[in-house]
Amino acid sequence: MAKFEPGNPDGIEEFEEAYAAHRTTDPDRPLSSDASPILQRIVALLPAAGAVEAGISKGAVYKETSKLTALSRPYVVLGDKVLGAMRIDLDRDFGSVEHLQDELRSISLPCPPHLIVGSIDRNTRTLRRPHVIWLLPPNAHVWNDMDDPRCRRGPVGLFHAVHRGITKKL
C-alpha cells in the first residue's frame, strides 16, 4: 500500500492499511483534505470547476461550477481524460470497513487499495456498496484523449487492462 509523502523522492512510502473515508454530516468533522495526502490527490485529480461532475446519487450526477460544491456531494466523478486513479465499485455491503479490509487481504493483489469510500449505516455500522480506489504515483497519470496526438494508446490500454484484472479478482 502506498502513502504519498513529500520527503520521499518517488513521493511514495509503504504503509499497511487503506485510508477509509466515509461521508459524514457531523459539524465537528467538516470536509477537509488538509490532513490527508491521499485525499489531496483525489481533489487534484478532479477536472476543473465547470467540468467536474457530482451529485446526490450515482444516477443523479451533474456538472458543478465549483470544485468545493462538488466535493460536498456524496458522489463525485473522477475525470476521464487524465487517468490517475482506478476506482472499482463493489456491488455489495460489508459488515464493516474492517470486514472489507479482511476480504481484500485474502485476495492476491499486488497492493491493497489506497482508499475505501462508502456510506456507513449509523445503526448497524454496515459499509454500503463501497468503492475501492488505487492511485497511480504522482506525475504518472495516463493521458486519455484519443483526439490529441500526444495521447499514447499503449499506456491507456495498459491502464484499462490492469483495471479489468483487479476488477476480475474482486
Side-chain angles (χ1 to χ4, degrees), residues 6 8 10 13 24 34 42 45-46 55 58 62 64 66 93-94 96-97 100 110 122 127-128 134 154 159 162 167 170:
N8 185 327
D10 297 324
E13 183 176 309
T24 178
D34 293 345
I42 294 295
L45 288 172
L46 292 177
K58 199 174 193 176
Y62 307 95
E64 290 284 356
S66 158
D93 296 344
F94 294 84
S96 66
V97 172
L100 171 56
R122 289 182 192 202
L127 180 60
R128 303 275 181 209
W134 283 264
F159 179 93
V162 169
T167 301
L170 296 175

Side-chain angles (χ1 to χ4, degrees), residues 125-139:
R125 306 301 297 157
T126 300
L127 180 60
R128 303 275 181 209
R129 302 173 65 88
H131 298 174
V132 288
I133 300 172
W134 283 264
L135 297 169
L136 271 59
N139 302 317

